[in-house]
Amino acid sequence: MSIAQILRVPILPFRMVNAHIIKTGDGCIVVDAGIPGSEHKIGKVLARNGMFYSDIKLIIVTHAHTDHAGSAARLRSLSGAPIMAHQGDMDYYTRKKPMTYCTTGLAGRLFFKTPVPHQPFEAFEPDILMSNADVMSLKDFGVDGIVRHTAGHTDGSIAVELSSEDALVGDLIASGILIGGIAFTGRAIRPPFEDDPHRVAEELERLVKSGAKRFYMGHGGPLQAPEVMRHVHALNQLPRHACAHAHCDHNSH
Ligand SMILES: [Zn+2]
Ligand SMILES: [Zn+2]
C-alpha cells in the first residue's frame, strides 16, 4: 500500500473551513465536502495534483454540519464514488430534521447568525452507513487506515486514523480564533458548535493514546498531539452538564 499524502482543500480563506484529500498512488479519498458549491474547489486541488473527479474512490463525511456535508451529493454525482457516514447523523443527511447547533461561545453565536450554518444542502443517503461502534478499514480504497465513530461534536461524528499517525478528525477540535483559522492556528480551541465536550475529550485522548501525532481539522489546524492533550485537559475542566441541547436556545431541538 503506497504512502498517503494529505492535501488541504481551502473551502474558506485563512484556514477558516477546510476539507481534505488523502492521495495515494492510485486515486484518493475525500474527507468532508465543504459548504454547498465547494465541489469546484475540491476539483481544483485534484487537478493541481494530477487527478480528476473520477480518481475519487470514497467520500467520507465526518458529520452533518453544512460546512462538511454541503457538497457531498454533488461530489458523488461528479465522481461516482460512494459516501461513507455514520447513522447518528442520518436524519440530518436526509434532511428529515433540521441540524442542531450547540454553540460553544461568542464566535459560535455570531457564526450562527451568518447564513453559512443554515445553507441547505442537497439531501443524500450514505452508501456506506456506519452504525454504533463500527470500525471501517480503508484498505479497499487503497489507504492504510480506519474510520471510527467519535461522537461528541455531533452524535454521528466519525474520524479517520491513518497508520502514518495522521488523524483527520472533522470538528472534534479546532484551532485559531473565532470559527477557527485566521491566526494562532497552533493553538487548540473548541469549534463554534459542540454537543458534548466531555465526550469529545474522551475521543481526543483515545486518538492520542492510539498513536495519532498530527490532527487535521475542519477549522484551523493542523495540530500536534501535545496541544491536543492540552485541549483535552481544558475540556475536562468544563462543568459537567449533559448538553442535550438544554442550553442551546437557537434551534428546534
Ligand atoms: Zn461541525
Ligand atoms: Zn465545521
Side-chain angles (χ1 to χ4, degrees), residues 63 65 67-68 153-154 171 191 193 219:
H63 64 289
H65 285 154
D67 50 322
H68 300 258
H153 178 65
T154 63
D171 284 356
F193 312 109
H219 309 278

